[in-house]
Amino acid sequence: MAGLFQAVSKHSNPLGNRVQPRGTGRYTFGLALSAGLAGLLYGYDTVSISGAIDFLQHRYHLSTMLQGLVISSIMIGGVFGAAMAGFLSDRFGRRRILLAGAAFFFVAALWSAFTFSPFDLIIARIVGGVGIGLATALAVTYITESAPTSIRGTLAFSFQLLAICGIFLTNVINYFIAENGSLFWNVEWGWRWMLGLGAVPAAVFFIAMLVVPESPRFLIQQGREDEGFQVLEHILGTTRAREQVEVIHESVVRERELNASFLDLFRPGLRKALGIGIFLAIGNQLVGMNAISYYGPTMFKHLGFGDNTEFLAASCVGGVELVFTVIGMYLIDAVGRKRLMAIGSALMAVFALLISYAYLIGDQTLTLVAVMLFTASFAFSMGPIPWIMIPELFPTFLRGRATGICTAFLLATNWAIGQFTPLMFERWGGRGTFFLFAICNLICLIGVITLVPETMDRMLEDIEYDWQPRTPMASARMALASAGAQIRWAEITLARVENERMQAMGVIEQAERERVRAHKQLFELENQAAEWANARETARLAEEERWHAERVAHTVNAAIVEPKLHHGTERSNDDSSTMEVDENVVDAATISIDVERLAEAEAALEILRKAKESSTSQESDEPEQSAEDRAREDRAIDTVLDFLDTLIVNKKQ
């Protein structure tokens, strides 16, 4: 996990300022995944107790009220944790409070596994609930403040996705623990493993939050703009990060000029945002999904599932929820939050009525199918979207506290569902219980259509404008703050343009240096190519001269040397003068081959001339030789002489 947050490489511009052209998807995903692990805790606790409650009932002989209190007690601590989370996070930061939440839950999970009375277990779960409240109130807030606008909903969905993963995996774990042990072993030890294994996701969450940075909006709000910019630069890239820092800074300055305080949350404007947030929080629980999550195995057991197959049926429901949660991730930033919640609420109302009807006729298969359809509708709508929208509704200076208040209402409703669902099943049965949930879903549908705004593709700083009070004094103060913000925006824009102009000049200067260097390199390469061409031409001419010299030597050898040698065999051995001429001619032909040595060529020329004179003076002594042979010899010698004359002249030049 730590590798996701290592500094990425940056490109340098001529001025030395490091520029990152775009954000790093791996880094952004790592932030969302790390904070979203809080959902894993929430999902694990939601279901782990549902697997253990039957064995706890056998061990402690719990009454209906005490059974509900064991299940819902964690939400008592959750309410306190969520209520404190906002105030603590505005002072100490989102990251530190998330770490504290993980630590609370880790301790509580181990504590729960080693309790020996229902009251000890209730206290341990209340402590764990504090951790759940701290983590769930701030996890989506952290993601919302860090994510790019275009994919904010998808990344925030990671909380719900991991919560569903926790629910699904916990159902599977509960099934294997229950299946591989006897009833006695499960009553004594099985439920301890179910609750104690919650320490594993808590440890993973704690380690993940150790390596992530603080929320960039919180950093900027605290005046640590450089640190906030560095985080946003990894997420958005340098240019967009600068713009985002400016927008957030403007919002913070405007809030200070308006003397914004926590009490603004209860004044006209933001009061409406708070009401919508509380409505979404309560709606997330009143639609009835947690009744299935908490008591699913018990419901299926009463419907006729036996031999631990009730855990397998609950696992199938969790698998359906996981699949449709993934589908919701792809839809939320394309279809919109409001539309998905409206569609989901309508479908859940229909399927809740179908579950009620299945209980009425006692059809086990129809009940399981209807529960799966109800779960699928919840998974892409009222399950994850309230968690995502609540932090989006509030300005930065109130986001932590307002989200904490809404989460406290959510967990309080969760407590009520966990506490009173056994009573509703006992008095009204499944038919009456799910008929009530159908009515709650219809109310939720009406509220979504009439109250909830659409926040898709809107910056957080833009959404807060919707809640500004409309009184004359507030409008005047807002106009003054807006004018000041516009002036600062213009100044910042001018500074950014000047910086970009200086960067452009630096680019031009460096490009000019590169062009001069390229011209010089090109000139050197052209000279080198010309030298190589001259060398090749010189080598070619030398080769031609050598070849020509060999031809001349061959001619001399054929025309003079060989006939002389032939005639020499017929003459007497005392014909020394003729042999001397023949040897001179051979020496001249041999020396003429080395055309590279000028002195030797001149010596060869002199020898040939003497040989010709000697040959002329001896013509009278050779009556046997015909005039034709003598003419051929003279021509050959003349040819060699002419060639050597030309060669010597060329060499001297």
Side-chain angles (χ1 to χ4, degrees):
M1 182 67 72
L4 293 172
F5 307 105
Q6 293 175 353
V8 296
S9 58
K10 298 183 179 182
H11 305 284
S12 299
N13 64 29
L15 296 181
N17 297 326
R18 298 187 302 175
V19 174
Q20 183 174 318
R22 61 182 61 86
T24 307
R26 186 180 66 172
Y27 182 89
T28 306
F29 175 76
L31 294 179
L33 179 63
S34 299
L37 287 171
L40 195 64
L41 301 186
Y42 181 77
Y44 188 93
D45 176 76
T46 299
V47 178
S48 63
I49 192 63
S50 70
I53 192 63
D54 233 16
F55 304 129
L56 290 169
Q57 174 70 30
H58 280 82
R59 180 179 176 84
Y60 296 122
H61 306 289
L62 302 175
S63 65
T64 302
M65 285 294 295
L66 194 57
Q67 180 182 352
L69 186 59
V70 168
I71 289 178
S72 63
S73 56
I74 196 167
M75 294 307 160
I76 297 175
V79 171
F80 286 106
M84 294 187 300
F87 296 92
L88 293 174
S89 68
D90 283 343
R91 180 171 182 178
F92 299 106
R94 309 339 186 187
R95 176 173 167 270
R96 291 181 180 177
I97 304 306
L98 288 170
L99 285 169
F104 269 101
F105 192 83
F106 178 83
V107 172
L110 295 179
W111 186 359
S112 298
F114 292 98
T115 56
F116 292 93
S117 74
F119 301 103
D120 291 341
L121 180 59
I122 289 170
I123 294 173
R125 286 179 59 76
I126 289 175
V127 173
V130 174
I132 289 290
L134 294 174
T136 55
L138 293 176
V140 181
T141 299
Y142 179 91
I143 298 171
T144 300
E145 292 184 340
S146 303
T149 302
S150 59
I151 58 172
R152 186 175 63 233
T154 301
L155 292 180
F157 229 96
S158 62
F159 175 87
Q160 182 69 11
L161 177 64
L162 288 168
I164 302 309
C165 288
I167 291 173
F168 175 71
L169 292 175
T170 307
N171 274 319
V172 174
I173 291 171
N174 288 348
Y175 171 73
F176 278 106
I177 291 175
E179 182 67 20
N180 290 292
S182 63
L183 178 61
F184 175 78
W185 184 86
N186 283 320
V187 169
E188 289 295 323
W189 301 104
W191 64 271
R192 299 182 186 276
W193 282 98
M194 293 178 181
L195 299 180
L197 284 175
V200 175
V204 173
F205 179 43
F206 186 87
I207 294 171
M209 292 309 301
L210 280 177
V211 298
V212 301
E214 181 55 82
S215 159
R217 279 179 168 81
F218 174 79
L219 291 172
I220 296 171
Q221 183 185 15
Q222 297 298 310
R224 299 155 62 184
E225 294 187 6
D226 290 341
E227 297 177 52
F229 169 75
Q230 290 175 4
V231 178
L232 286 172
E233 188 177 26
H234 290 318
I235 297 171
L236 303 171
T238 302
T239 302
R240 291 182 60 197
R242 287 173 181 162
E243 295 175 354
Q244 192 75 8
V245 169
E246 292 164 7
V247 172
I248 298 171
H249 179 74
E250 281 181 20
S251 176
V252 171
V253 171
R254 183 173 61 251
E255 290 161 1
R256 290 173 182 169
E257 291 179 350
L258 292 173
N259 296 320
S261 68
F262 175 69
L263 294 178
D264 290 341
L265 192 59
F266 304 98
R267 292 170 180 156
L270 287 174
R271 185 168 58 197
K272 181 179 179 181
L274 179 62
I276 294 173
I278 293 173
F279 165 76
L280 291 174
I282 294 175
N284 173 265
Q285 298 297 313
L286 278 186
V287 293
M289 184 61 213
N290 272 353
I292 298 174
S293 298
Y294 285 140
Y295 298 101
T298 303
M299 286 172 51
F300 295 129
K301 188 174 183 178
H302 290 164
L303 285 169
F305 291 86
D307 297 329
N308 295 322
T309 56
E310 65 271 21
F311 293 106
L312 190 59
S315 298
C316 293
V317 173
V320 170
E321 189 171 9
L322 178 60
V323 170
F324 279 87
T325 299
V326 174
I327 293 173
M329 288 184 67
Y330 287 95
L331 295 177
I332 188 168
D333 284 319
V335 178
R337 283 80 153 141
K338 182 172 183 175
R339 185 177 301 177
L340 284 178
M341 285 194 296
I343 294 172
S345 298
L347 290 175
M348 281 189 289
V350 173
F351 295 134
L353 289 174
L354 185 60
I355 295 172
S356 178
Y357 175 73
Y359 266 102
L360 177 64
I361 64 176
D363 192 323
Q364 176 180 333
T365 303
L366 179 61
T367 304
L368 180 60
V369 172
V371 167
M372 287 184 174
L373 292 174
F374 182 90
T375 301
S377 303
F378 174 84
F380 68 81
S381 60
M382 289 303 298
I385 296 180
W387 290 99
I388 296 169
M389 283 198 68
I390 289 172
E392 292 179 333
L393 296 174
F394 303 103
T396 300
F397 80 102
L398 282 174
R399 185 170 293 118
R401 287 169 285 182
T403 301
I405 291 172
C406 294
T407 305
F409 275 92
L410 185 150
L411 297 179
T413 310
N414 192 330
W415 170 84
I417 294 294
Q419 179 66 46
F420 297 113
T421 295
L423 290 176
M424 290 191 294
F425 270 97
E426 185 178 299
R427 295 186 180 182
W428 303 337
R431 178 184 62 179
T433 300
F434 279 94
F435 184 80
L436 176 62
F437 287 143
I439 295 174
C440 292
N441 276 285
L442 287 176
I443 296 173
C444 184
L445 172 63
I446 296 171
V448 167
I449 294 174
T450 58
L451 297 176
V452 178
E454 181 58 76
T455 59
M456 182 179 67
D457 290 335
R458 299 182 64 189
M459 287 183 60
L460 300 177
E461 286 68 30
D462 292 336
I463 297 172
E464 67 180 82
Y465 281 110
D466 295 343
W467 318 120
Q468 298 301 330
R470 301 295 184 260
T471 63
M473 179 63 72
S475 299
R477 293 170 64 186
M478 176 56 64
L480 180 62
S482 298
Q486 290 175 2
I487 293 173
R488 286 189 298 274
W489 174 264
E491 292 173 347
I492 293 171
T493 302
L494 288 174
R496 185 179 68 250
V497 170
E498 178 63 19
N499 182 50
E500 291 175 352
R501 186 183 70 83
M502 294 299 295
Q503 290 184 15
M505 291 177 63
V507 171
I508 293 172
E509 182 180 350
Q510 182 173 353
E512 186 63 32
R513 289 196 297 268
E514 293 289 341
R515 184 171 65 175
V516 171
R517 186 160 49 249
H519 273 303
K520 182 179 179 181
Q521 186 178 10
L522 181 61
F523 179 74
E524 292 174 352
L525 291 174
E526 289 176 348
N527 286 341
Q528 188 178 12
E531 291 175 358
W532 287 348
N534 291 335
R536 287 195 299 270
E537 181 64 20
T538 302
R540 187 184 64 80
L541 293 175
E543 181 65 23
E544 289 181 356
E545 290 176 357
R546 186 187 66 78
W547 180 76
H548 197 182
E550 288 179 353
R551 288 189 60 188
V552 170
H554 178 72
T555 302
V556 171
N557 186 62
I560 300 175
V561 178
E562 291 180 0
K564 289 290 185 179
L565 292 174
H566 177 72
H567 289 301
T569 59
E570 296 177 357
R571 296 194 188 113
S572 61
N573 291 331
D574 58 352
D575 195 357
S576 59
S577 62
T578 303
M579 292 299 293
E580 184 180 355
V581 173
D582 292 341
E583 290 173 0
N584 291 337
V585 172
V586 173
D587 291 340
T590 302
I591 294 170
S592 66
I593 294 174
D594 190 3
V595 297
E596 299 294 331
R597 301 172 61 184
L598 183 59
E600 293 181 6
E602 291 176 345
L605 178 61
E606 184 64 26
I607 291 171
L608 284 175
R609 284 174 179 166
K610 290 180 179 181
K612 183 178 181 182
E613 291 173 359
S614 175
S615 177
T616 302
S617 64
Q618 294 175 2
E619 287 179 359
S620 58
D621 299 332
E622 298 177 356
E624 303 90 358
Q625 189 176 21
S626 65
E628 182 178 353
D629 290 338
R630 289 196 298 274
R632 185 170 61 252
E633 292 175 4
D634 290 341
R635 285 196 301 273
I637 292 173
D638 288 339
T639 300
V640 174
L641 292 173
D642 290 341
F643 168 72
L644 291 175
D645 278 334
T646 303
L647 182 62
I648 291 169
V649 171
N650 290 338
K651 290 295 183 181
K652 287 182 177 181
Q653 290 178 350

